Amino acid sequence: MKKYRIALSIAGSDPSGGAGIQADLKTFSACGCYGATAIVAVVDENTVGVTGVHPVPVSFVTGQIKSVLDDIGADAIKIGMLHSSELIVAVRDTLSKYKIRNIVFDPVMVATSGDKLLQDEAITTLKNELIPFVRVITPNIPEAEILLGKKIATQEDLPLVVKSLSVGGTVSVLLKAGHLSNEELTDVFYNAETDEIIKLSSKRVHTKNTHGTGCTFSSAITAFLAHDKPLNESIRLAKEYINQTIVTGAAYEIGKGHGPVHHFFNFWE
């Protein structure tokens, strides 16, 4: 009997379909995984901005996680927006009962539109309780600045930043460079398991369709880890995937603000 590779997303929903749970499921499918979800919040948003966030009760979130893992399991897990300290600790404690190594955390704090998605008091909890628990974190520049408590000025700063974020060399860090102004974007990955730094470059695509890029990138990493790809290869494959979704998605127009990427560029255009 055949078995699916299963990826679980623990994140908020996006009714416009470009980010959050919806982007994660599209990415898992495009990258050959069966996607499962635990929804932490129902977000009222579109391509223009976030209007509101309605949290799901913490016990109901952990119940969803247990229902998925006790029944179908997961080869890899992606964690997205966790809006409160209580939720962060509960998710960590629940996952600690399962022996799943491939956990990717995208520390979502600010939406593409600039809207804040994380409570201030949760940042310390996130840094102390969840980040040391996971295998990979995937911050962008603004998120890394919040975690570090200082500004990141240039591309040359990134190799030092990823090591600073690695919890003493125990957590691998992918730092996304899209918020810098360079025409060539170089994401920097620190593999804490091999103590090596890898640079992943691509040309900047001038497009407003960047809604959900962070969710999509981290979900692609999760999917390739679910397929038992080595960590460095999973990062490289995910970089290739996200780049193609942006390049292809630039030709489309959806919504009045930041449109989505094209998750299924391999299947239709």
Side-chain angles (χ1 to χ4, degrees), residues 90-109:
V91 168
R92 190 275 318 272
D93 288 349
T94 301
L95 292 179
S96 68
K97 297 179 174 65
Y98 301 87
K99 294 181 179 178
I100 300 172
R101 184 182 183 217
N102 293 322
I103 301 178
V104 178
F105 176 42
D106 186 30
V108 179
M109 301 179 195

Side-chain angles (χ1 to χ4, degrees), residues 189-201:
F189 177 60
Y190 173 60
N191 186 331
E193 296 162 26
T194 58
D195 192 31
E196 62 184 319
I197 288 179
I198 297 170
K199 296 181 179 180
L200 305 122
S201 297

Side-chain angles (χ1 to χ4, degrees), residues 58-109:
V58 171
S59 61
F60 204 82
V61 174
T62 57
Q64 293 175 78
I65 296 170
K66 292 174 186 175
S67 290
V68 171
L69 296 183
D70 288 344
D71 182 22
I72 66 175
D75 298 294
I77 296 172
K78 177 263 176 81
I79 303 173
M81 182 187 76
L82 300 179
H83 50 272
S84 70
S85 293
E86 181 186 6
L87 180 61
I88 291 166
V89 172
V91 168
R92 190 275 318 272
D93 288 349
T94 301
L95 292 179
S96 68
K97 297 179 174 65
Y98 301 87
K99 294 181 179 178
I100 300 172
R101 184 182 183 217
N102 293 322
I103 301 178
V104 178
F105 176 42
D106 186 30
V108 179
M109 301 179 195

Side-chain angles (χ1 to χ4, degrees), residues 49-254:
V50 177
T51 303
V53 177
H54 182 70
V56 173
V58 171
S59 61
F60 204 82
V61 174
T62 57
Q64 293 175 78
I65 296 170
K66 292 174 186 175
S67 290
V68 171
L69 296 183
D70 288 344
D71 182 22
I72 66 175
D75 298 294
I77 296 172
K78 177 263 176 81
I79 303 173
M81 182 187 76
L82 300 179
H83 50 272
S84 70
S85 293
E86 181 186 6
L87 180 61
I88 291 166
V89 172
V91 168
R92 190 275 318 272
D93 288 349
T94 301
L95 292 179
S96 68
K97 297 179 174 65
Y98 301 87
K99 294 181 179 178
I100 300 172
R101 184 182 183 217
N102 293 322
I103 301 178
V104 178
F105 176 42
D106 186 30
V108 179
M109 301 179 195
V110 181
T112 301
S113 58
D115 293 284
K116 193 173 181 182
L117 299 172
L118 183 70
Q119 297 174 4
D120 289 336
E121 62 268 22
I123 295 172
T124 299
T125 307
L126 185 150
K127 289 166 63 175
N128 295 337
E129 303 296 336
L130 184 60
I131 288 177
F133 174 74
V134 305
R135 189 178 185 190
V136 184
I137 63 171
T138 61
N140 59 28
I141 297 292
E143 291 158 355
E145 289 176 338
I146 292 171
L147 292 172
L148 285 175
K150 63 180 182 180
K151 284 289 185 182
I152 299 169
T154 68
Q155 180 75 51
E156 288 68 36
D157 294 334
L158 302 194
L160 288 175
V161 171
V162 288
K163 285 208 167 187
S164 298
L165 292 172
S166 70
V167 194
T170 60
V171 177
S172 296
V173 180
L174 173 70
L175 182 54
K176 297 166 289 190
H179 286 78
L180 296 177
S181 59
N182 307 56
E183 279 301 307
E184 182 171 80
L185 302 176
T186 302
D187 300 330
V188 177
F189 177 60
Y190 173 60
N191 186 331
E193 296 162 26
T194 58
D195 192 31
E196 62 184 319
I197 288 179
I198 297 170
K199 296 181 179 180
L200 305 122
S201 297
S202 60
K203 292 186 180 299
R204 180 180 294 278
V205 180
H206 291 279
T207 175
K208 67 176 184 176
N209 294 341
T210 56
H211 183 54
T213 49
C215 303
T216 299
F217 199 168
S218 60
S219 294
I221 296 169
T222 306
F224 290 119
L225 288 174
H227 282 290
D228 283 336
K229 301 289 186 185
L231 184 52
N232 289 353
E233 184 180 355
S234 294
I235 298 294
R236 289 193 179 98
L237 288 170
K239 173 70 174 180
E240 292 171 9
Y241 173 78
I242 186 63
N243 191 53
Q244 286 299 313
T245 67
I246 295 170
V247 169
T248 311
Y252 290 80
E253 183 175 358
I254 297 181

